[in-house]
Amino acid sequence: MAGKKVLVVYASRYGSTGEIAEEIAEVLRDVGVDVAVSNVLETERVAGYGGVVIGSPIYMGKWLPEAVDFVKNFQNDLRRVPVAVFAVGFSMKEPSETNRESGRAAISVIRPYVHPFDVGIFAGKLSFDELSPPDAEIIRMAGVTEGDYRDWDEIAAWAGELEPLFKDLP
Ligand SMILES: Cc1cc2nc3c(=O)[nH]c(=O)nc-3n(C[C@H](O)[C@H](O)[C@H](O)COP(=O)(O)O)c2cc1C
């Protein structure tokens, strides 16, 4: 495909956001985009890509630090191409306006560095067995129940509307 190549990068502690990134990449591939997917910690270059999607789960109200660092480190490259971002959080299993607002607030920290043309806010997954002891303790105190609330149709629909990433394709 002669069109532009898109980079989908993510931060993830337990893998659920990585799987969302893979789904977004699949949708983009289906419309003919050449896509690379990688963890922000393993991504050394943004220059050369025609568009970027960046996602992170929300922990204690914030994007993971490595996702914020990625945006800061590559801000100059990211300002030159269309960028879409997404946040994943367990609270979005009830997509009230308050919860969506908390999702948007979690990414306000990146606003000085990047100007996304779209922001996705998705429900995530919690599996008690996977959690580190400190994370398990936080979740136990919060009294949250576990479950996989990722809405694959919603995620695919969002990805399918990221037109600035593929509108120049033949
Ligand atoms: C310790 C801990 C804190 C969390 N804090 C939040 C939060 O503040 N808001 C939220 O919506 N979800 C929160 N979550 C839920 C995660 O964002 C959700 O489980 C997400 O899918 C995890 O993504 P990952 O598997 O890619 O790490 C928290 C989860 C854990 C374990």
Side-chain angles (χ1 to χ4, degrees):
M1 172 67 61
K4 51 189 175 186
K5 185 159 183 169
V6 166
L7 176 65
V8 178
V9 289
Y10 63 90
S12 190
R13 207 176 266 178
Y14 299 107
S16 66
T17 307
E19 288 165 3
I20 291 174
E22 294 289 354
E23 171 64 17
I24 291 166
E26 270 313 303
V27 171
L28 292 171
R29 285 186 189 115
D30 282 349
V31 294
V33 184
D34 190 5
V35 189
V37 187
S38 56
N39 190 299
V40 288
L41 296 171
E42 288 155 10
T43 309
E44 288 163 359
R45 180 178 68 83
V46 169
Y49 289 98
V52 184
V53 180
I54 312 166
S56 170
I58 300 168
Y59 281 88
M60 308 302 280
K62 296 175 172 170
W63 252 26
L64 282 175
E66 64 262 34
V68 179
D69 287 346
F70 180 88
V71 169
K72 284 185 189 167
N73 291 341
F74 292 110
Q75 56 179 292
N76 290 334
D77 294 319
L78 292 172
R79 281 204 201 98
R80 294 194 184 100
V81 292
V83 173
V85 304
F86 65 95
V88 179
F90 203 64
S91 57
M92 252 57 71
K93 70 184 165 91
E94 283 141 26
S96 65
E97 195 40 49
T98 311
N99 286 341
R100 297 189 68 76
E101 190 45 53
S102 74
R104 284 193 286 269
I107 59 146
S108 62
V109 60
I110 65 168
R111 295 276 181 193
Y113 310 105
V114 70
H115 308 292
F117 69 86
D118 205 340
V119 175
I121 312 276
F122 305 125
K125 174 189 165 192
L126 256 186
S127 179
F128 291 167
D129 291 350
E130 292 173 358
L131 299 180
S132 67
D135 280 355
E137 180 64 10
I138 290 166
I139 290 301
R140 193 187 61 74
M141 288 194 308
V144 185
T145 49
E146 64 183 340
D148 186 349
Y149 290 89
R150 290 171 296 174
D151 183 335
W152 298 108
D153 290 343
E154 183 194 2
I155 292 160
W158 183 77
E161 287 169 7
L162 298 177
E163 259 186 65
L165 299 181
F166 51 77
K167 69 171 189 295
D168 296 338
L169 290 177

